[in-house]
Amino acid sequence: MKLAIAVLTSVIVSLCAATVHADPIQIRFSHTVSGKAPKGQMAKHFKKLVEERLKGRVEVKIYPRSLMYLDSEVVSALQEGKLELAAPALSKLKRLTPKLQVFDLPFLFKDMAAVDRFQNSPQGKALLQATVDQGVLGLGYLHNGMKQMSANDPLRVPEDANGKRFRIMSSEVIKAQFEVLGAEGVKAAFPDVFNMLARGKVNGQENTWSNIYSAHLHRHQKYITESNHGLLDYMVITSAEFWQNLPADIRVELDQIMAEAIAFGNQVAAANNDENRQSVIDFGHSEIVTLSDQQRAAWELAMAPVWQQFANEIGPDLILAAKSYNQ
Ligand code: LMR
C-alpha cells in the first residue's frame, strides 16, 4: 500500500512538473540580413542546436531581413520584452554606451585576428557587460569582417570621395569618417541600401564583401575599393532580465549553444567574405580597385582626425588597448 502511494505521488509530481514546463520557452531572434549571410546562417545554426538539445523546452523563431524590427528598433524591443535575441552591428549600439564606438574607428584593426584578440581581452569582454544596467546583456561578439568602399567612380585616393554621398550605418564615427573626406554619410537602414544605390540617392556605400554580394549592392556600383578600412562586427544581445530568469540548466545549455553558433558564424563569415569577393568579380559589373601601400597610407592619414574627435567619448585608454592587440 505504502509503495502504491509513493508511486502515485511520484507520478503526480512528474505530471505537475510536466504541466509547469508544458509551454516551451520562446526565443524570437530578429536580424536584418538574409538567411544566407553569415549572421543569417549563425541564427539558423543556433536554432538547429536548440532543436537538437532542448527539444520541447525551448523554441527559436528567426525573423530575417528586418521582417520583425529594423536594427534601429531592436534594442527598445528587447528592453520591452518583445523579442529575446538580436545581433545588430556594433556601429548601431552607441546609444547603449559610447565606448562601443571604438569598433568604428577607421584603420584601428589591421586584420580579424587583431579584432579577435581585442574582443577576447578583459577590456573587450567588459564591453559585453557594459549595458546590463540598461537591461541589455551582450552574449558574445559575432564577426562579419572588414568593410570595403564602393561608388560609381573609382575611389583611389581620399580626394576621390570629395563631394560624394555614401550610405552609412547609424554611426556618428562613420559619419565623421566621411565628413573628413569632404563627403556626406547618409544614415539609412540596411534593407534600403539597394534601392538607394539603384535610384542614385547616394553615390556609394561601405560594407563587407558578404553584405555587398548577398544584398546585391555590386549590381549598382561600378567600382569597389578593397580598402579594409573599418570593421563590421555584431554584438549578440538579449534582455538581461530574460536571460537571468531562465532555469539555470537551460541557461547553461543556451550559453554553450550560443558559443558554438558564434564560432560557426565566424567561420561562415571568413569563408563568405572570400567567396563573395570572387562572386562579385565573376558577376562582372564592378572593377576591384586595389590600393598601393602609398594610397592606403593616404586614406589612413585622411581619416586619422576621427580618432581625436571621438577620443573623449570612447576613452583614450580603451582606444590604446584596442590598438595594442594589433601586435
Ligand atoms: C548594415 O546596416 O550595413 C549592416 O549592419 C547590416 C548587417 O547587419 O550586417
Side-chain angles (χ1 to χ4, degrees), residues 6-109:
V7 170
L8 192 64
T9 312
S10 118
V11 169
I12 291 170
V13 167
S14 313
L15 279 176
C16 289
T19 314
V20 169
H21 296 296
D23 292 336
I25 295 164
Q26 299 292 324
I27 296 187
R28 293 160 290 183
F29 189 164
S30 166
H31 66 79
T32 192
V33 291
S34 91
K36 288 188 199 151
K39 183 163 51 183
Q41 293 202 42
M42 172 269 178
K44 287 198 269 190
H45 195 67
F46 175 78
K47 179 178 163 72
K48 175 174 164 273
L49 295 181
V50 168
E51 279 167 5
E52 282 167 12
R53 299 189 202 159
L54 291 167
K55 200 168 178 49
R57 300 189 74 194
V58 180
E59 265 175 24
V60 179
K61 287 207 177 81
I62 304 172
Y63 299 88
R65 295 184 182 278
S66 293
L67 287 176
M68 192 181 199
Y69 293 109
L70 290 169
D71 271 348
S72 55
E73 301 165 329
V74 288
V75 170
S76 310
L78 270 182
Q79 288 167 323
E80 290 162 20
K82 293 178 182 162
L83 89 143
E84 288 71 36
L85 275 184
L90 291 158
S91 316
K92 298 172 182 171
L93 291 175
K94 181 217 163 168
R95 59 170 280 207
L96 289 172
T97 164
K99 289 182 185 167
L100 288 173
Q101 295 179 114
V102 69
F103 290 103
D104 275 343
L105 292 177
F107 295 100
L108 174 60
F109 298 109

Side-chain angles (χ1 to χ4, degrees), residues 276-294:
N276 292 168
R277 175 185 182 279
Q278 191 55 45
S279 312
V280 168
I281 295 171
D282 294 345
F283 185 76
H285 180 74
S286 325
E287 185 184 314
I288 311 297
V289 177
T290 307
L291 299 177
S292 66
D293 289 350
Q294 206 182 357

Side-chain angles (χ1 to χ4, degrees), residues 32-33 39 71 87-89 92 144 167 169 188-190 193 206-207 211 232 234:
T32 192
V33 291
K39 183 163 51 183
D71 271 348
K92 298 172 182 171
N144 189 316
R167 176 272 170 175
M169 293 185 277
F190 186 63
V193 187
E206 51 153 44
N207 223 311
N211 273 348
L232 168 55
Y234 311 108

